[in-house]
Amino acid sequence: MKLRLLPILIAVFASSALLFGGWFIYHSAAMENPLNHIATGSPGVQNAQTQINSAQVTIDLKLNNTADVRDLYSKIMTQGESVIGKRDLKLKLDSNTSPELEKWWSSALFEVAQAMETKRYADIPQGLKAKAAQLPNLTVDTEMDDINVYVRLTDGVHSKYIILPRKPAVMGVWTQ
């Protein structure tokens, strides 16, 4: 029996296209699109883009000044639980920030980092509101749940959103 190369290659190509195409459609339609729909249906979200891998779900969000990130995070976690499963949810927030807000945040970050490290979360709103006097129109809103601390800085039309995880990243130790 002589095997012909062309029919074998066509069969391999067709089955590969069918399998990978089916996986791509499933991944997009059954996993990414529902999370995008949940996110974009929330107030203050202009655009959402989802990436899913085996360990993490990452959603890139374009926000305006009216977004409530704590509520958004909770909504995605509860309504998207079947898709997220045991993966970590990470939100990448893009908002209409300004150089003044970025500079102010970098100067306030020392106190926030110290409060996070010592688990004195009540010091965060107090410290940020005390420093808010440096910018005349700055409004600071802080919220917390059992997973994250959420900070929203608003200065007129500009805003900056920050999510601070309450469980710090654990660095691995090398064994010798």
Side-chain angles (χ1 to χ4, degrees):
M1 175 164 90
K2 183 177 179 182
L3 298 175
R4 289 191 266 164
L5 185 61
L6 185 60
I8 292 173
L9 289 176
I10 291 173
V12 167
F13 178 74
S15 61
S16 297
L18 185 64
L19 288 173
F20 288 115
W23 176 83
F24 177 77
I25 290 170
Y26 168 76
H27 194 267
S28 177
M31 297 181 80
E32 290 178 356
N33 287 347
L35 291 177
N36 286 343
H37 183 69
I38 292 167
T40 55
S42 299
V45 178
Q46 296 174 345
N47 191 15
Q49 199 67 27
T50 304
Q51 294 96 30
I52 300 175
N53 63 34
S54 61
Q56 181 172 299
V57 174
T58 304
I59 304 177
D60 295 325
L61 297 168
K62 175 72 175 151
L63 304 174
N64 63 23
N65 289 358
T66 63
D68 181 357
V69 179
R70 186 194 56 78
D71 184 49
L72 177 63
Y73 190 92
S74 174
K75 185 176 180 182
I76 292 171
M77 284 296 288
T78 55
Q79 293 181 10
E81 183 179 11
S82 62
V83 174
I84 296 170
K86 296 193 183 288
R87 297 178 186 99
D88 292 329
L89 175 62
K90 181 178 180 188
L91 301 181
K92 289 186 178 178
L93 308 175
D94 181 22
S95 57
N96 184 22
T97 188
S98 67
E100 291 82 19
L101 276 177
E102 293 294 331
K103 185 176 180 182
W104 185 90
W105 173 247
S106 66
S107 70
L109 194 53
F110 291 105
E111 292 176 14
V112 172
Q114 182 179 14
M116 294 293 292
E117 190 68 28
T118 59
K119 299 183 189 282
R120 297 179 54 97
Y121 302 113
D123 292 347
I124 295 172
Q126 295 169 354
L128 291 178
K129 288 184 183 188
K131 285 187 83 78
Q134 294 174 354
L135 284 177
N137 296 324
L138 181 64
T139 305
V140 177
D141 297 310
T142 55
E143 295 180 291
M144 186 172 88
D145 61 15
D146 56 340
I147 301 169
N148 297 311
V149 175
Y150 306 92
V151 178
R152 178 175 64 185
L153 308 173
T154 308
D155 184 18
V157 297
H158 300 289
S159 62
K160 179 172 180 64
Y161 295 92
I162 303 104
I163 298 176
L164 303 166
R166 289 182 57 193
K167 187 183 289 185
V170 178
M171 294 186 63
V173 177
W174 293 330
T175 57
Q176 293 184 6

